Amino acid sequence: MVELYDRFFKLAFPKMAERLGIVYTPTEVVDFIMHSAEFALQRHFGTSLSDKNVHILDPFTGTGTFVVRLLQSGLIRPEDLERKYRKELHANEIVLLAYYIAAINIEAAYHGGRGGQYEPFDGIVLTDTFQLTEGDGVLDRFVFPENNERAKRQRAAEIRVIVSNPPWSVGQGSANDNNQNLKYPRLDARIEETYAARSTATNKNSLYDAYFRAFRWASDRIRDEGVICFVSNGGWIDGNTADGFRATLEEEFAEIYVFNLRGNQRTSGETSRREGGKIFGAGSRAPVAITLLVKDRSHQGRANLHYYDIGDYLSRERKLAIISEFGSSAAVPWQDVEPNEQHDWVRQRSEEFGTLVPFNDAPNAIFALRSGGVKSGRDAWAYNMSRASLEVNMSRMVAFYNEQVKAYSAALHRAGAYAADLAEGLVDHNPKMIKWNRGLKGDLSRGRKLEYAAERIVPAMYRPFVREWFYFDRHLNDMVYRMPSLFPDPGYPNLAIVVPGPGMRHEPSCFIVNALPDLHIHPTDGQCFPLYYYEQNTARQAPPGMFDSEVSRDRNVRRDGITDTALADFRHHYGDESISKEDIFYYCYGVISAPEYGERFGADLKRELPRIPMAPDFWAFSRAGRELAHWHLDYEQVAPWPLEEERAEQGDRDDFAYYRVEKMEFLSLGGREKDRSTIIFNRRIRLKGIPLDAYNYVVNGKSAIEWIMERYSVSPIIENRLLRTFGG
């Protein structure tokens, strides 16, 4: 089963695996969930899984593991087994291959436990579970009449227990894939009026992820009494967007048990190591949680919340062993949690943070505006460390796009009234020639041709300490936000402090840039706060000689990013009229870079943009921020640290191939132990004598050296693909 899910589906049906989030659930987790459902029934309702009329449903059954383990668990009494199997066990699956395997597995488990004549399992339905609430949920009435009768019986049943590993996918990763998730108007409307309505986030798209849909569907399906136990993505536990989801759970349920299994490998560095092993192995890099929900019609008020964190630095094997040792929720040493007004359950934000001076979006804000970094939507095309390679890539893509516009327009002309759907089918999605996204397809549908312009190639900060060339173009970048106001072109110098957007997974960090920053310089949509911003000079077209200053004849006018209000407030608070807006800018950078600031307000910074205290010594932080900015901006100009270069073989120092890097690594000391004072540069060269203090400053989970090691590498697969595509 593991081979089937972890290898076969991903290789044979990659789009299906991505859209449905197919991953095999470890039996330790399945057993824990089944026994936890039994615990909840006994503790809160005085009943059990074996009792009559306790209908149990796995709505996303995969290969039937949940039902199989239930039949083998002993939780169903021998005298109840036949009734349960025939009438009160239910399972749904939409993937035909998995459906047949699940049916065989469940039937074999029943036959093995009971013996006698082989009996088909009539409780399994080939259906899209979410579709059951959109219509009748049946398939072709003539091809699947027996299946549809099963669906009708399931819809009529009083489901009391829902257990599963719901799908995890939020949608396709690229418009090239043509692999969009299905829409469910009724279900999504329920999410909109509950989870989304209660969320304070601006972008609520993630609340329509399949696993949120599964929670919403199951919550409605058990009506006013029952038990739900899911293993799912655990990012919602402290995610900013999920505050509305947490608030809704508090309202709709009587008891909530959350077992945080951690394992978030979308982090890096020490944070990643602390998160420990991935419960699903290669199947998912997301954090994982087991959530047990009890709905009781007699309960009054908010839910009682119980929480347990499995702990730091645990391997996958150790986590599964702990789950087995507990056996069920009955043995877990739960911590009772009282949510705050913001519906934080863990790492609750402090009251003090709200009294500090906000960076932005308030009358007394320090900065006049902010902007997300630029989002290309096609990094592999729009970024490159070689300007010449970038010119080749983008000019070819623009030429190919214009060919598509020509073909699309011709198809529209020929097809007439039904042109749009027909013409869309003619679009070439070859990923070697183009990267489509919604904006570019919109331009295509409007017949807009694009023009390649070499002057649109500008320096950019792709990741911390990693500069690349970037093709800056509104039509070929997915989102530019307000970047044209911050960095119109290299002739308009500027500085910006970049902080993570709400929802960051790493420890708090920040970075300063003097070139166009990428949105994901921090993984949670980095937000940029500038020293200056530029406005288009509307007076530029006035007759010559009308204005005296050079600035007035420039196409852009520079404005201060620090507000007049902030300047007045700082001068008044410190009684110092010599404080300038530039001093305040560096003060902010000094304060939010201080380790004590991150430690004290880390929980707040995961959910909100920075706020700044008025420190006792303004100038100490301002000078520190200015000094930090020097090192973080001018790191390529400082004198190199004297390293020992150990050569395995001699070579020509002018030979580029001698220095070619595929992937730099730390020297291994055996197992996971690494000697970070030595870097294996390539098979010929080792760099020794790196001071360990160099790893102390961390941005977005990595030190500067580790960012360089990660980004300055070559993937042989990508390299070969580029060679085949572009001929070198």
Side-chain angles (χ1 to χ4, degrees):
M1 295 300 101
V2 174
E3 287 294 311
L4 175 73
Y5 262 48
D6 288 353
R7 292 184 60 82
F8 177 76
F9 275 117
K10 287 179 174 61
L11 295 174
F13 308 109
K15 290 186 178 181
M16 179 193 298
E18 178 186 5
R19 181 166 55 85
L20 298 181
I22 292 174
V23 64
Y24 183 77
T25 313
T27 54
E28 295 90 342
V29 174
V30 176
D31 291 347
F32 181 91
I33 286 175
M34 299 311 308
H35 284 81
S36 293
E38 175 73 2
F39 152 77
L41 286 174
Q42 290 185 2
R43 178 169 182 175
H44 299 288
F45 302 110
T47 186
S48 77
L49 294 169
S50 189
D51 288 351
K52 189 175 182 179
N53 294 325
V54 176
H55 287 259
I56 305 162
L57 168 65
D58 178 359
F60 317 99
T61 201
T63 56
T65 310
F66 281 84
V67 180
V68 167
R69 297 299 290 180
L70 173 60
L71 293 171
Q72 296 171 340
S73 66
L75 292 170
I76 299 176
R77 296 181 291 269
E79 62 270 23
D80 297 327
L81 189 60
E82 182 178 350
R83 183 196 74 248
K84 216 73 187 175
Y85 182 77
R86 290 181 175 178
K87 297 180 179 180
E88 296 172 3
L89 294 183
H90 308 273
N92 297 338
E93 179 54 47
I94 188 57
V95 179
L96 189 60
L97 176 60
Y99 165 84
Y100 281 120
I101 293 172
I104 292 170
N105 282 343
I106 294 168
E107 290 162 2
Y110 176 71
H111 181 71
R114 185 173 175 80
Q117 187 176 354
Y118 191 88
E119 184 174 346
F121 178 52
D122 291 335
I124 190 166
V125 182
L126 180 65
T127 187
D128 178 350
T129 291
F130 295 147
Q131 196 63 41
L132 289 172
T133 54
E134 300 298 318
D136 57 12
V138 301
L139 304 176
D140 187 289
R141 297 179 186 276
F142 299 101
V143 179
F144 301 102
E146 182 181 343
N147 183 77
N148 293 335
E149 286 301 316
R150 294 178 182 180
K152 291 177 182 178
R153 288 198 300 271
Q154 185 191 116
R155 288 204 319 275
E158 286 286 339
I159 301 296
R160 294 288 302 279
V161 176
I162 297 178
V163 290
S164 198
N165 173 10
W168 295 29
S169 175
V170 71
Q172 65 181 358
S174 166
N176 281 37
D177 298 338
N178 274 347
N179 192 36
Q180 298 91 340
N181 279 359
L182 299 176
K183 301 296 184 182
Y184 304 96
R186 292 183 184 177
L187 179 58
D188 290 347
R190 287 287 291 138
I191 291 176
E192 183 177 2
E193 66 193 33
T194 54
Y195 305 161
R198 299 296 304 274
S199 174
T200 58
T202 302
N203 186 341
K204 305 178 183 184
N205 291 343
S206 62
L207 291 174
Y208 298 87
D209 188 308
Y211 80 91
F212 281 120
R213 283 172 166 168
F215 273 105
R216 183 66 271 165
W217 185 91
S219 300
D220 292 336
R221 184 64 181 87
I222 62 172
R223 299 188 175 93
D224 59 355
E225 191 164 276
V227 172
I228 299 168
C229 197
F230 282 165
V231 57
S232 73
N233 185 319
W236 64 267
I237 294 174
D238 60 357
N240 187 61
T241 306
D243 58 350
F245 174 67
R246 295 190 296 269
T248 304
L249 294 187
E250 293 170 26
E251 292 179 354
E252 295 185 354
F253 291 91
E255 304 285 336
I256 301 172
Y257 301 84
V258 180
F259 190 176
N260 187 354
L261 303 179
R262 310 277 289 275
N264 185 358
Q265 294 305 308
R266 290 174 179 156
T267 58
S268 59
E270 190 63 23
T271 303
S272 175
R273 290 186 284 274
R274 189 181 300 117
E275 285 289 300
K278 306 185 291 291
I279 287 294
F280 291 102
S284 174
R285 298 176 63 237
V288 177
I290 297 173
T291 307
L292 175 63
L293 305 171
V294 180
K295 187 179 285 190
D296 184 349
R297 65 171 67 96
S298 66
H299 180 80
Q300 299 293 322
R302 291 200 308 184
N304 298 312
L305 176 58
H306 317 280
Y307 178 78
Y308 183 74
D309 188 322
I310 199 166
D312 296 340
Y313 302 107
L314 298 176
S315 67
R316 176 180 185 268
E317 292 71 25
R318 182 58 191 144
K319 289 181 180 180
L320 293 176
I322 291 172
I323 294 169
S324 294
E325 290 164 9
F326 283 143
S328 83
S329 295
V332 176
W334 299 107
Q335 172 191 355
D336 292 338
V337 174
E338 183 65 32
N340 62 15
E341 293 182 0
Q342 293 82 20
H343 306 287
D344 300 334
W345 290 3
V346 298
R347 290 181 285 277
Q348 297 183 1
R349 65 196 83 182
S350 67
E351 294 182 3
E352 180 188 0
F353 191 75
T355 67
L356 307 182
V357 185
F359 255 32
N360 190 230
D361 301 332
N364 64 330
I366 296 173
F367 290 90
L369 57 80
R370 64 181 167 96
S371 173
V374 68
K375 178 184 177 184
S376 79
R378 48 179 61 83
D379 287 5
W381 294 86
Y383 282 100
N384 207 297
M385 291 184 181
S386 163
R387 179 170 185 145
S389 296
L390 181 59
E391 290 177 350
V392 171
N393 292 351
M394 290 305 300
S395 61
R396 289 192 184 192
M397 196 186 92
V398 169
F400 183 80
Y401 165 80
N402 288 333
E403 292 173 4
Q404 295 296 298
V405 171
K406 183 178 179 180
Y408 186 89
S409 300
L412 285 178
H413 180 73
R414 291 194 302 270
Y418 303 99
D421 292 338
L422 177 61
E424 169 65 19
L426 298 177
V427 175
D428 191 337
H429 291 87
N430 184 352
K432 295 181 180 180
M433 300 305 298
I434 196 167
K435 171 67 184 294
W436 291 104
N437 61 1
R438 182 176 59 183
L440 199 56
K441 282 194 172 182
D443 286 342
L444 173 74
S445 67
R446 290 186 287 271
R448 183 198 299 272
K449 288 195 172 184
L450 301 179
E451 179 182 352
Y452 171 78
E455 61 269 21
R456 294 185 184 131
I457 295 179
V458 299
M461 189 63 73
Y462 182 59
R463 293 293 183 267
F465 304 102
V466 180
R467 296 178 187 271
E468 297 195 22
W469 294 103
F470 178 67
Y471 193 81
F472 191 25
D473 185 312
R474 283 186 181 274
H475 295 292
L476 289 168
N477 303 149
D478 191 22
M479 297 292 290
V480 297
Y481 302 106
R482 304 187 73 172
M483 281 296 117
S485 296
L486 272 61
F487 295 95
D489 66 47
Y492 295 88
N494 204 358
L495 299 176
I497 298 171
V498 188
V499 302
M504 68 175 178
R505 297 180 287 268
H506 298 288
E507 296 304 312
S509 62
C510 60
F511 196 62
I512 191 168
V513 298
N514 57 6
L516 193 76
D518 185 83
L519 179 66
H520 298 302
I521 199 168
H522 289 288
T524 49
D525 298 354
Q527 298 296 301
C528 307
F529 295 89
L531 177 60
Y532 308 117
Y533 65 96
Y534 294 88
E535 291 181 342
Q536 190 171 4
N537 188 358
T538 56
R540 189 183 176 214
Q541 303 302 320
M546 186 173 178
F547 299 97
D548 293 331
S549 72
E550 289 296 324
V551 173
S552 66
R553 292 196 292 273
D554 200 305
R555 63 185 176 88
N556 290 299
V557 178
R558 193 179 79 181
R559 307 295 188 196
D560 290 323
I562 304 295
T563 65
D564 292 339
T565 299
L567 179 63
D569 289 346
F570 272 83
R571 285 177 171 178
H572 174 74
H573 180 84
Y574 290 104
D576 188 344
E577 291 297 312
S578 70
I579 293 175
S580 70
K581 291 183 176 181
E582 186 175 293
D583 296 327
I584 295 172
F585 178 84
Y586 287 119
Y587 171 86
C588 291
Y589 194 53
V591 168
I592 63 176
S593 297
E596 182 184 352
Y597 177 80
E599 293 166 4
R600 189 169 180 177
F601 301 114
D604 303 89
L605 294 169
K606 287 180 181 293
R607 299 173 173 89
E608 300 181 38
L609 292 172
R611 290 171 172 265
I612 296 296
M614 294 288 195
D617 190 338
F618 171 85
W619 288 108
F621 279 102
S622 185
R623 286 191 294 269
R626 193 180 293 268
E627 181 73 6
L628 278 171
H630 161 66
W631 292 106
H632 297 164
L633 292 170
D634 303 329
Y635 59 92
E636 292 177 315
Q637 280 74 51
V638 300
W641 185 269
L643 296 179
E644 178 187 346
E645 187 174 312
E646 182 181 280
R647 293 169 174 259
E649 59 184 67
Q650 295 303 311
D652 185 356
R653 289 178 176 267
D654 296 325
D655 182 3
F656 175 78
Y658 187 83
Y659 294 95
R660 184 179 183 278
V661 174
E662 289 188 0
K663 180 68 176 177
M664 286 184 271
E665 297 177 339
F666 291 117
L667 179 65
S668 175
L669 297 177
R672 295 186 177 183
E673 292 295 316
K674 305 290 184 182
D675 176 7
R676 297 200 296 171
S677 70
T678 301
I679 293 175
I680 301 175
F681 185 78
N682 60 23
R683 63 183 178 84
R684 303 178 182 89
I685 301 171
R686 291 186 178 187
L687 303 176
K688 305 177 73 173
I690 299 169
L692 296 183
D693 286 348
Y695 300 101
N696 289 344
Y697 182 75
V698 173
V699 184
N700 187 5
K702 298 186 185 75
S703 66
I705 290 177
E706 289 166 305
W707 275 115
I708 296 296
M709 291 174 67
E710 177 183 294
R711 303 309 308 180
Y712 285 74
S713 62
V714 174
S715 165
I717 296 174
I718 295 175
E719 183 181 41
N720 291 336
R721 184 181 301 158
L722 291 173
L723 287 171
R724 289 196 303 271
T725 304
F726 300 126

